[in-house]
Amino acid sequence: LGAGLMWFEQNEPNWAMVGHTISEEQFKWISEDLPEHQFMAKLHTYDEPLTGGETKFDAVYSIEAAIHSPNLFKSIQAWSDALEPDGVIVLIDDFLSVGTSRDDPDVDLFARSWIANSVHSTKEIADFATKSNMKIVR
């Protein structure tokens, strides 16, 4: 969260940014130890609404975070609800490889060791987007 938003802040100085994390340790680090920055950080679960509806975002960037969602479909719906018309969600994360079963022992070990609650294929994520009235941009 910190390094990614710091980069955007330096390269897109006109953007207003809010970063969300589910990690109390990461939130503490951003709040207390990260060099001076303009973006706001919030300790926030992924599958609750991002705002009370009063603020809309042009983009939601999820960088190595969606995989930790307890329910990725619900998270994508919450993120979609927080977007301006024509807004985008960008997912940069680990995905389940085509032809690999979620029940594979190596996938299970990865999921347990990284607290990866939402190990999905790109096809499944595309289906989530479709059900949330969004489209996949390639």
Side-chain angles (χ1 to χ4, degrees):
L1 174 65
L5 286 179
M6 291 289 286
W7 185 90
F8 281 117
E9 190 170 276
Q10 291 171 356
N11 290 280
E12 299 293 344
N14 294 324
W15 287 8
M17 294 182 290
V18 178
H20 295 101
T21 181
I22 59 171
S23 166
E24 291 181 18
E25 286 300 315
Q26 185 180 43
F27 179 75
K28 181 179 175 188
W29 177 76
I30 291 166
S31 301
E32 297 176 7
D33 299 326
L34 193 67
E36 185 176 331
H37 55 278
Q38 301 301 312
F39 67 85
M40 181 188 318
K42 293 184 178 181
L43 188 59
H44 187 89
T45 185
Y46 297 142
D47 49 357
E48 290 179 1
L50 292 181
T51 68
E54 68 280 355
T55 302
K56 295 287 187 177
F57 299 99
D58 294 313
V60 171
Y61 284 82
S62 175
I63 304 170
E64 298 290 333
I67 200 164
H68 301 293
S69 169
N71 182 325
L72 189 53
F73 176 63
K74 192 173 178 183
S75 295
I76 288 172
Q77 287 181 316
W79 297 343
S80 175
D81 290 345
L83 290 174
E84 291 282 359
D86 296 323
V88 298
I89 297 172
V90 178
L91 292 179
I92 302 169
D93 219 316
D94 299 303
F95 301 106
L96 190 61
S97 296
V98 174
T100 303
S101 170
R102 175 61 181 87
D103 297 325
D104 182 291
D106 290 333
V107 174
D108 185 58
L109 176 61
F110 165 77
R112 286 186 291 114
S113 63
W114 283 94
I115 313 171
N117 302 311
S118 290
V119 181
H120 295 283
S121 69
T122 52
K123 164 96 173 71
E124 290 172 311
I125 293 169
D127 291 345
F128 294 163
T130 299
K131 290 177 184 173
S132 298
N133 296 318
M134 301 187 73
K135 61 182 177 183
I136 300 294
V137 178
R138 301 182 203 282

